[in-house]
Amino acid sequence: MERNLYLEKIIRKRNNGMIKVITGIRRCGKTYLLFELFYDYLLKSGVDQGHIIKIALDDRVNKKYRDPDVLCEYVHGAVKDERMHYVLLDEVQMVPEFEDVLNSFLHMKNVDTYVTGSNAKFLSKDIITEFRGRGDQIHLYPLSFAEFMQGRETDRYQAWYEYTMYGGLPKILEFENEEDKAAYLRDIFTETYLKDILERNDVRNPVEMEELLDYLSSAIGGLTNPKKLADTF
């Protein structure tokens, strides 16, 4: 599947001396964009594999690289000549003190760094400030309808119904059964809107938080404000 809008954004930022931070909700396609589309682009543009350092930090086999010192040492050791090297790190939030590690790469003139992240911290617009003004954010959204249609051979009206009912998360295209689609979305809702928000804001009453989300979800498209919500509760 092509996601040219976002790929072009990354390409424009290539070699700009900043850390490219790809953010977005869980399962919206960040890993695919970085590890498939951008990786293929680098190869086609003449970058050899030896100059691309790609690590999926959520993969068990790469657990040792979650140690910030091990990761830092590995990347520095993998830079073998003066030519540009590209560092692609997926789920970088799994590395403690990852800000310091990434900032250390900024001191290497022939290293261009790209990372993805999706935990509570990466929901914040303040993430870029962690890189001392040298972070460049690319925020990825779920599929647009045009992108959704790339994975559907059905009638466009049927595809539109499916898109408006279940949304544009790429994984939805793999399910044929409506029950499976609904179950998948429930899991994402729990992980993203509940777990991440609860962690980020240290919410002490998770049950009330769920009730608030249910109320807001039932009034999509309607105006509201804190006082109206307080009165409702």
Side-chain angles (χ1 to χ4, degrees), residues 180-218:
D180 292 338
K181 296 175 186 176
Y184 174 72
L185 291 177
R186 279 195 298 270
D187 291 341
I188 295 297
F189 180 83
T190 301
E191 284 295 310
T192 302
Y193 288 94
L194 295 183
K195 183 178 178 182
D196 281 347
I197 292 175
L198 292 174
E199 289 178 358
R200 173 169 172 73
N201 297 282
D202 192 25
V203 176
R204 289 171 292 178
N205 300 303
V207 174
E208 292 184 5
M209 179 70 188
E210 291 185 39
E211 291 178 358
L212 172 61
L213 287 171
D214 287 341
Y215 173 76
L216 291 173
S217 298
S218 69

Side-chain angles (χ1 to χ4, degrees), residues 62-109:
N62 294 323
K63 183 180 179 181
K64 63 182 179 181
Y65 298 118
R66 297 175 194 169
D67 182 312
D69 294 323
V70 173
L71 176 61
C72 196
E73 182 179 352
Y74 173 75
V75 171
H76 278 73
V79 177
K80 52 193 176 183
D81 55 43
E82 296 301 316
R83 294 168 61 189
M84 185 61 72
H85 290 68
Y86 296 88
V87 177
L88 315 182
L89 303 177
D90 188 35
E91 302 293 357
V92 73
Q93 77 279 349
M94 300 187 76
V95 179
E97 302 176 1
F98 67 85
E99 300 93 340
D100 284 345
V101 175
L102 298 180
N103 279 320
S104 76
F105 298 160
L106 291 173
H107 296 287
M108 305 169 72
K109 294 182 179 180

Side-chain angles (χ1 to χ4, degrees), residues 3-195:
R3 304 212 68 181
N4 292 332
L5 174 66
Y6 300 103
L7 179 59
E8 289 170 4
K9 286 183 179 181
I10 298 178
I11 293 171
R12 288 200 306 269
K13 299 174 187 294
R14 180 181 174 187
N15 301 335
N16 68 355
M18 304 178 78
I19 298 167
K20 273 64 71 175
V21 184
I22 302 173
T23 60
I25 66 169
R26 296 178 189 273
R27 306 296 182 264
C28 69
K30 298 183 297 295
T31 302
Y32 178 75
L33 175 64
L34 185 61
F35 275 20
E36 299 291 335
L37 300 181
F38 185 62
Y39 179 74
D40 288 344
Y41 163 79
L42 289 176
L43 294 177
K44 291 176 182 177
S45 66
V47 179
D48 65 80
Q49 288 184 326
H51 288 76
I52 303 175
I53 305 166
K54 183 171 69 166
I55 306 175
L57 292 162
D58 60 341
D59 191 329
R60 178 72 181 183
V61 300
N62 294 323
K63 183 180 179 181
K64 63 182 179 181
Y65 298 118
R66 297 175 194 169
D67 182 312
D69 294 323
V70 173
L71 176 61
C72 196
E73 182 179 352
Y74 173 75
V75 171
H76 278 73
V79 177
K80 52 193 176 183
D81 55 43
E82 296 301 316
R83 294 168 61 189
M84 185 61 72
H85 290 68
Y86 296 88
V87 177
L88 315 182
L89 303 177
D90 188 35
E91 302 293 357
V92 73
Q93 77 279 349
M94 300 187 76
V95 179
E97 302 176 1
F98 67 85
E99 300 93 340
D100 284 345
V101 175
L102 298 180
N103 279 320
S104 76
F105 298 160
L106 291 173
H107 296 287
M108 305 169 72
K109 294 182 179 180
N110 60 331
V111 168
D112 195 23
T113 305
Y114 303 76
V115 304
T116 75
S118 58
N119 75 338
K121 189 168 190 177
F122 274 81
L123 291 175
S124 170
K125 293 182 180 179
D126 295 336
I127 186 62
I128 297 303
T129 65
E130 299 286 354
F131 302 118
R132 303 168 190 168
R134 299 188 66 183
D136 207 344
Q137 184 180 33
I138 300 100
H139 190 75
L140 184 64
Y141 292 93
L143 301 176
S144 66
F145 183 59
E147 292 170 331
F148 186 84
M149 281 297 294
Q150 294 177 29
R152 275 286 176 262
E153 298 179 357
T154 57
D155 176 86
R156 61 181 177 177
Y157 295 104
Q158 175 60 35
W160 176 249
Y161 166 79
E162 183 180 354
Y163 182 74
T164 55
M165 177 64 71
Y166 298 105
L169 293 180
K171 188 76 173 178
I172 288 293
L173 291 169
E174 299 180 18
F175 298 110
E176 295 296 333
N177 184 280
E178 294 188 358
E179 184 178 343
D180 292 338
K181 296 175 186 176
Y184 174 72
L185 291 177
R186 279 195 298 270
D187 291 341
I188 295 297
F189 180 83
T190 301
E191 284 295 310
T192 302
Y193 288 94
L194 295 183
K195 183 178 178 182

